[in-house]
Amino acid sequence: SDSYKKEQLRRINMLVIVILVVFLVAEIQDGIAFLIYAHELATDQKRGVLSEEADILWDTISSTLSLLSYACNFWIFFLMSTQFRASLLDMLQCRSKRMRGMLNLESTDGKTNSSFTNVTIRDDRSTTTI
Protein backbone atom coordinates (compact mmCIF):
# COMPACT_ATOMS: atom_id res chain seq x y z
CA SER A 1 0.00 0.00 0.00
CA ASP A 2 0.98 3.59 -0.52
CA SER A 3 0.89 4.57 3.15
CA TYR A 4 3.10 1.59 4.10
CA LYS A 5 5.71 2.61 1.50
CA LYS A 6 5.68 6.21 2.77
CA GLU A 7 6.08 5.03 6.36
CA GLN A 8 8.92 2.71 5.38
CA LEU A 9 10.65 5.49 3.45
CA ARG A 10 10.25 7.85 6.42
CA ARG A 11 11.83 5.26 8.75
CA ILE A 12 14.75 4.67 6.38
CA ASN A 13 15.32 8.43 6.09
CA MET A 14 15.28 8.77 9.87
CA LEU A 15 17.76 5.88 10.19
CA VAL A 16 20.13 7.49 7.69
CA ILE A 17 19.86 10.89 9.39
CA VAL A 18 20.60 9.43 12.84
CA ILE A 19 23.62 7.51 11.53
CA LEU A 20 24.86 10.62 9.71
CA VAL A 21 24.53 12.79 12.83
CA VAL A 22 26.37 10.24 15.00
CA PHE A 23 29.10 9.99 12.37
CA LEU A 24 29.44 13.76 12.04
CA VAL A 25 29.59 14.33 15.79
CA ALA A 26 32.52 11.96 15.99
CA GLU A 27 34.30 13.05 12.82
CA ILE A 28 33.84 16.82 13.13
CA GLN A 29 36.56 16.75 15.80
CA ASP A 30 39.03 15.32 13.30
CA GLY A 31 38.03 17.89 10.71
CA ILE A 32 38.61 20.76 13.12
CA ALA A 33 41.97 19.30 14.17
CA PHE A 34 42.98 18.95 10.52
CA LEU A 35 42.11 22.60 9.87
CA ILE A 36 44.13 23.69 12.92
CA TYR A 37 47.15 21.62 11.81
CA ALA A 38 46.84 22.93 8.25
CA HIS A 39 46.73 26.53 9.55
CA GLU A 40 49.80 25.92 11.73
CA LEU A 41 51.71 24.43 8.80
CA ALA A 42 50.67 27.23 6.45
CA THR A 43 51.74 29.95 8.87
CA ASP A 44 54.81 28.02 10.07
CA GLN A 45 53.67 28.25 13.69
CA LYS A 46 54.18 24.97 15.49
CA ARG A 47 51.77 24.70 18.43
CA GLY A 48 50.48 28.20 17.77
CA VAL A 49 46.80 27.37 18.26
CA LEU A 50 46.81 24.30 20.49
CA SER A 51 49.36 23.57 23.17
CA GLU A 52 50.75 20.04 23.44
CA GLU A 53 48.48 19.24 26.41
CA ALA A 54 45.42 20.59 24.60
CA ASP A 55 46.37 18.60 21.50
CA ILE A 56 46.61 15.37 23.52
CA LEU A 57 43.24 16.08 25.14
CA TRP A 58 41.71 16.89 21.75
CA ASP A 59 43.02 13.61 20.27
CA THR A 60 41.75 11.63 23.26
CA ILE A 61 38.27 13.11 22.99
CA SER A 62 38.24 12.60 19.22
CA SER A 63 39.30 8.96 19.50
CA THR A 64 36.75 8.28 22.22
CA LEU A 65 33.95 9.80 20.16
CA SER A 66 34.99 7.76 17.12
CA LEU A 67 34.96 4.53 19.12
CA LEU A 68 31.56 5.35 20.59
CA SER A 69 30.10 6.19 17.20
CA TYR A 70 31.21 2.86 15.75
CA ALA A 71 29.66 1.01 18.69
CA CYS A 72 26.47 3.04 18.36
CA ASN A 73 25.95 2.06 14.73
CA PHE A 74 24.97 -1.51 15.65
CA TRP A 75 22.47 -0.32 18.24
CA ILE A 76 21.02 2.29 15.90
CA PHE A 77 20.39 -0.36 13.27
CA PHE A 78 19.12 -2.82 15.88
CA LEU A 79 16.67 -0.38 17.43
CA MET A 80 15.45 1.36 14.29
CA SER A 81 15.36 -1.34 11.59
CA THR A 82 12.99 -4.30 11.77
CA GLN A 83 14.62 -5.75 8.65
CA PHE A 84 18.03 -5.68 10.36
CA ARG A 85 16.62 -7.43 13.45
CA ALA A 86 14.93 -10.10 11.33
CA SER A 87 18.10 -10.70 9.29
CA LEU A 88 20.22 -10.88 12.43
CA LEU A 89 17.83 -13.37 14.02
CA ASP A 90 17.78 -15.51 10.86
CA MET A 91 21.57 -15.46 10.73
CA LEU A 92 21.91 -16.49 14.39
CA GLN A 93 19.30 -19.25 14.09
CA CYS A 94 20.92 -20.60 10.93
CA ARG A 95 24.31 -20.65 12.65
CA SER A 96 22.98 -22.49 15.71
CA LYS A 97 21.30 -25.11 13.48
CA ARG A 98 24.54 -25.53 11.55
CA MET A 99 26.54 -25.92 14.76
CA ARG A 100 24.10 -28.53 16.11
CA GLY A 101 24.35 -30.40 12.83
CA MET A 102 28.15 -30.28 12.84
CA LEU A 103 28.46 -31.44 16.43
CA ASN A 104 25.64 -33.98 16.11
CA LEU A 105 25.21 -33.87 19.88
CA GLU A 106 22.11 -36.01 20.17
CA SER A 107 20.77 -38.76 17.98
CA THR A 108 17.08 -39.53 17.53
CA ASP A 109 17.03 -42.15 20.33
CA GLY A 110 18.37 -39.65 22.88
CA LYS A 111 21.84 -41.15 23.18
CA THR A 112 24.90 -39.01 22.81
CA ASN A 113 26.44 -39.43 19.40
CA SER A 114 29.26 -36.94 19.40
CA SER A 115 32.50 -37.32 17.55
CA PHE A 116 34.05 -35.34 20.41
CA THR A 117 33.27 -37.97 23.10
CA ASN A 118 36.52 -39.86 22.87
CA VAL A 119 39.30 -37.43 22.04
CA THR A 120 42.91 -38.28 22.74
CA ILE A 121 45.25 -35.40 23.52
CA ARG A 122 48.96 -36.08 23.18
CA ASP A 123 51.84 -33.88 24.09
CA ASP A 124 55.49 -34.60 24.79
CA ARG A 125 54.97 -35.67 28.42
CA SER A 126 51.67 -37.52 28.62
CA THR A 127 48.63 -38.87 26.78
CA THR A 128 45.17 -37.96 28.06
CA THR A 129 41.82 -39.36 26.89
CA ILE A 130 38.77 -37.20 27.44
Side-chain angles (χ1 to χ4, degrees), residues 29-75:
Q29 300 285 337
D30 286 334
I32 293 170
F34 176 77
L35 291 175
I36 290 171
Y37 297 142
H39 172 71
E40 287 177 347
L41 286 173
T43 59
D44 202 24
Q45 296 177 354
K46 187 174 182 179
R47 305 275 182 215
V49 178
L50 288 176
S51 67
E52 188 174 350
E53 294 82 23
D55 188 36
I56 292 171
L57 179 63
W58 190 279
D59 287 341
T60 303
I61 291 171
S62 178
S63 297
T64 304
L65 285 174
S66 292
L67 286 172
L68 288 175
S69 76
Y70 294 132
C72 287
N73 281 339
F74 171 79
W75 292 107

Side-chain angles (χ1 to χ4, degrees), residues 12-111:
I12 289 172
N13 287 340
M14 184 60 100
L15 177 70
V16 170
I17 289 170
V18 169
I19 289 172
L20 182 65
V21 167
V22 168
F23 173 78
L24 286 177
V25 164
E27 296 301 319
I28 198 79
Q29 300 285 337
D30 286 334
I32 293 170
F34 176 77
L35 291 175
I36 290 171
Y37 297 142
H39 172 71
E40 287 177 347
L41 286 173
T43 59
D44 202 24
Q45 296 177 354
K46 187 174 182 179
R47 305 275 182 215
V49 178
L50 288 176
S51 67
E52 188 174 350
E53 294 82 23
D55 188 36
I56 292 171
L57 179 63
W58 190 279
D59 287 341
T60 303
I61 291 171
S62 178
S63 297
T64 304
L65 285 174
S66 292
L67 286 172
L68 288 175
S69 76
Y70 294 132
C72 287
N73 281 339
F74 171 79
W75 292 107
I76 291 169
F77 275 108
F78 186 78
L79 294 174
M80 294 185 74
S81 175
T82 55
Q83 184 180 5
F84 178 79
R85 287 191 300 268
S87 297
L88 181 65
L89 184 62
D90 286 345
M91 185 179 70
L92 293 175
Q93 286 176 345
C94 181
R95 183 177 174 99
S96 68
K97 286 179 186 177
R98 218 177 316 133
M99 289 300 292
R100 271 187 260 134
M102 283 175 36
L103 294 176
N104 194 14
L105 293 177
E106 296 225 0
S107 63
T108 54
D109 58 359
K111 294 181 182 176

Side-chain angles (χ1 to χ4, degrees), residues 116-129:
F116 297 110
T117 338
N118 194 12
V119 176
T120 303
I121 300 172
R122 291 188 179 123
D123 64 6
D124 293 339
R125 292 178 232 137
S126 66
T127 301
T128 307
T129 302

